[in-house]
């Protein structure tokens, strides 16, 4: 007798129940169609999405309920799954709910029907679109700023390096970059600091995300400067750093420009110091000046004077003149100021300063600031004053010299024209020697030693022992120097004609000393012919007396000794200014 076959009806019911439970639990909408396109399954998620109940749809054809589904991608995919048993999956704007995106999965079923799974991916697409937009903006920003981007997975050791970062670090496009490669490429002196900064950043207790700069030597010997900025990502559970992300930038140009600027500023500072120039900026907030400004104002290098203190140093009347110059500049189109003024240092010195500045106006047309330079021109102004005095002195001395020459010519006589010529030439030459010495001293006077040497030079040639002179260094005023030159010339001429220098055995001694604010010069002749005092004053004696008398305040005393003439000339010293 055969055993009865167990029934499978209960098992089928159990499987269907389990399937229905699964379909009801999923969040995706799900429905199934038989071969006649009629709804046979419609889960709760589908009811919520389409806003209909399954009771309204079961047994109805989809194209009657959902006619808008025809004529598009959805219908073609359903027909392909129903007829050719080919599954498909795609994303498409929802025709049931405007503005929503759905992902559809259409699968053929074993009983010749099809199953449709629907997921609303609107929010996911928005997130993805926002992420892509953010990534695009980041890419644009990094490209515009020429930044390189990098990421180091601390757990796996993997590094992701952008194209620009590879260019900056000097890595090839296909090179697998490790964190050690970055420190290896850096300058040997900078590598340890890179590692130290990384450790500080990844230390959970420190988390130092400061940017850092270092050098990368180039194959051609040049040096590239880079600035890296990294920030770690810490695990929320363990607190350990798991990723290190950041940027890298080539700052070689910035560094070079900064170095060039420093060198330019150093050169400018040296030039200003060498030229005694100071820069200042005057605003409503006060005065800002370079260190040289304090020196020009006679202040300590670290002084911070207020405007009241600076204004108090102007020579009387100069501050008002400066203010007037600024008013005139402000009224002009150029708004430039250039003026010279006197300034009194704290120690009482009076200095000449020159200011060159420009007035800057604000948007309201009112003065906003004054930027300029100050120079010490004391030496130049004193030189100009000396030149003016010198010019006046030259005019005065030239007139005096012409007067002396005229008197010399008028008072000179001789038995013959040739003798007259010789006498006049000698006396004018004496004046010329004195004039030359005075001009060499810029008309401040002439040295007595040079006068004596020049007048007696012809008599010392080949016989230096016959003419001797000695005395302290003394400078005579221009007028006294001319008189002394004339007097020495007359004495030397007389000695050569009638006195000690007229014989080979004769000698002349010239000595001088300082006595009672005068120079006492002694002319002593010895070894010449026997001297007899003259019975009347000759022209030479008259010239000698005239040369030292008058306005010079000098005097000549002659002693006609039998052994030779002895003369004492008293020459006034220059008065103290």
């Amino acid at each position: 007798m055969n055993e009865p076959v167990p029934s499978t009806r209960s098992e089928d019911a159990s499987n269907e129940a389990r399937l229905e439970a699964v379909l009801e639990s999923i969040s995706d909408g799900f429905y199934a169609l038989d071969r006649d396109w009629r709804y046979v399954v419609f889960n709760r998620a589908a009811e919520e999405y389409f806003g209909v109940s399954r009771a309204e749809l079961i047994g109805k054809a989809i194209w009657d309920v959902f006619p808008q589904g025809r004529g598009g991608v959805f219908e073609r995919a359903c027909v392909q799954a129903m007829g050719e048993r080919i599954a498909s999956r795609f994303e498409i704007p929802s025709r049931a709910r405007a503005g929503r995106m759905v992902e559809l999965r259409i699968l053929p079923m074993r009983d010749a029907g099809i199953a449709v799974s629907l997921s609303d991916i609107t929010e996911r697409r928005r997130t993805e679109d926002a992420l892509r937009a953010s990534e695009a903006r980041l890419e644009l920003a990094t490209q515009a700023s020429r930044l390189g981007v990098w990421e180091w997975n601390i757990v796996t050791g993997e590094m992701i390096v952008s194209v620009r970062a590879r260019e900056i670090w000097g890595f090839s496009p296909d090179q697998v970059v490790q964190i050690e490669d970055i420190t290896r490429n850096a300058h040997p002196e900078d590598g340890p600091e890179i590692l130290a900064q990384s450790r500080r950043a990844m230390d959970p207790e420190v988390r130092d995300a400061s940017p850092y700069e270092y050098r990368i030597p180039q194959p051609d010997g040049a040096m590239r400067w880079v600035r890296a900025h990294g920030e770690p990502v810490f695990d929320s559970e363990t607190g350990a750093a798991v990723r290190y992300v950041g940027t890298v930038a080539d700052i070689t140009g910035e560094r070079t420009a900064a170095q060039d600027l420093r060198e330019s500023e150093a050169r400018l500072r040296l030039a200003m110091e060498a030229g005694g120039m100071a820069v200042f900026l005057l605003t409503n907030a006060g005065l800002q000046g370079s260190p040289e400004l304090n020196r020009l104002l006679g202040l300590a290098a670290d002084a911070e004077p207020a405007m009241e203190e600076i204004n108090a140093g102007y020579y009387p009347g100069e501050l008002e003149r400066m203010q007037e110059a600024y008013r005139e500049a402000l009224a002009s189109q150029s708004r430039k100021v250039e003026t010279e003024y006197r300034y009194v240092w704290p120690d009482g010195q009076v200095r000449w300063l020159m200011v060159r500045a420009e007035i800057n106006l604000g948007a309201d047309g009112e003065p906003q600031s004054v930027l300029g330079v100050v120079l010490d021109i004391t030496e130049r102004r004193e030189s100009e004053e000396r030149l003016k005095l010198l010019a006046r002195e030259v005019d005065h001395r030239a007139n005096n010299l012409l007067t002396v020459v005229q008197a010399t010519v008028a008072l000179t006589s001789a038995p013959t024209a040739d003798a007259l010529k010789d006498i006049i030439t000698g006396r004018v030459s004496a004046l010329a020697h004195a004039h030359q010495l005075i001009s060499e001293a810029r008309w401040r006077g002439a040295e007595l030693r040079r006068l004596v040497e020049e007048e007696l030079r012809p008599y010392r040639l080949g016989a230096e022992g016959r003419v001797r002179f000695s005395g302290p260094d003394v400078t005579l005023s221009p007028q006294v120097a001319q008189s002394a030159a004339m007097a020495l010339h007359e004495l030397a001429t007389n000695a050569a004609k009638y006195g000690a220098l007229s014989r080979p055995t004769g000698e002349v001694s010239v000595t001088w000393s300082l006595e009672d604010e005068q120079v006492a010069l002694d002319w002593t002749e010895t070894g010449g012919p026997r001297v007899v005092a003259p019975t009347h004053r000759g022209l030479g004696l008259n010239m000698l007396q005239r040369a030292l008398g008058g306005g010079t305040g000098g005097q000549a005393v002659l002693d006609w000794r039998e052994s030779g003439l002895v003369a004492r000339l008293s020459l006034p010293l220059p008065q103290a200014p």
Side-chain angles (χ1 to χ4, degrees), residues 23-24 30-32 39-48 50-55 57-58:
L23 292 177
E24 289 300 306
F30 179 86
Y31 58 89
Y39 288 105
V40 293
V41 175
F42 203 82
N43 74 348
R44 184 180 294 109
E47 286 182 317
E48 293 175 356
F50 288 105
V52 296
S53 66
R54 71 188 74 182
L57 297 179
I58 297 299

Side-chain angles (χ1 to χ4, degrees), residues 328-525:
E328 292 177 358
L330 189 60
S332 70
Q333 293 295 324
S334 67
R335 301 192 302 277
K336 295 185 183 300
V337 180
E338 181 171 336
T339 186
E340 300 175 1
Y341 61 94
R342 285 165 294 179
Y343 195 85
V344 183
W345 282 9
D347 63 1
Q349 287 190 62
V350 178
R351 309 294 295 181
W352 274 97
L353 304 178
M354 179 176 73
V355 62
R356 289 176 179 165
E358 182 172 2
I359 303 173
N360 300 308
L361 305 181
D364 56 359
E366 293 298 317
Q368 187 176 41
S369 64
V370 180
L371 177 64
V373 296
V374 181
L375 298 88
D376 189 324
I377 59 169
T378 305
E379 185 176 346
R380 193 201 78 191
R381 289 295 298 240
E382 290 177 349
S383 178
E384 290 175 353
E385 290 298 321
R386 285 195 298 270
L387 287 175
K388 290 178 182 178
L389 291 173
L390 179 60
R392 289 195 292 268
E393 184 69 18
V394 169
D395 289 342
H396 175 67
R397 296 305 170 191
N399 290 332
N400 285 349
L401 183 60
L402 289 175
T403 301
V404 172
V405 171
Q406 289 174 345
T408 299
V409 173
L411 294 173
T412 301
S413 62
T416 65
D418 290 341
L420 180 62
K421 175 181 176 182
D422 291 340
I423 294 173
I424 292 177
T425 300
R427 289 172 176 170
V428 172
S429 295
L431 291 173
H433 290 154
H435 183 83
Q436 177 66 28
L437 295 177
I438 295 170
S439 64
E440 289 176 0
R442 299 182 66 85
W443 291 91
R444 290 190 292 268
E447 294 182 4
L448 177 57
R449 186 183 303 278
R450 290 285 305 278
L451 285 174
V452 174
E453 183 179 15
E454 291 295 329
E455 290 302 326
L456 298 180
R457 185 186 302 276
Y459 310 105
R460 300 182 66 209
L461 296 176
E464 287 79 359
R466 298 186 63 196
V467 179
R468 300 182 303 277
F469 53 86
S470 63
D473 293 335
V474 178
T475 298
L476 303 177
S477 67
Q479 185 175 359
V480 173
Q482 288 181 349
S483 300
M486 289 289 292
L488 290 169
H489 173 74
E490 294 302 326
L491 289 171
T493 300
N494 183 75
K497 287 183 176 181
Y498 313 112
L501 297 181
S502 64
R503 290 189 178 181
T505 57
E507 295 180 358
V508 174
S509 171
V510 182
T511 60
W512 61 92
S513 60
L514 300 179
E515 297 179 3
D516 299 329
E517 297 184 358
Q518 287 195 333
V519 178
L521 184 147
D522 292 320
W523 173 285
T524 304
E525 299 183 21

Side-chain angles (χ1 to χ4, degrees), residues 181-203:
D181 297 327
I182 297 174
T183 55
R184 189 180 300 115
N185 274 16
H187 192 282
E189 295 178 0
D190 299 339
E193 178 55 28
I194 296 174
L195 292 175
Q197 175 58 33
S198 300
R199 286 192 291 268
R200 288 194 296 269
M202 293 185 292
D203 186 339

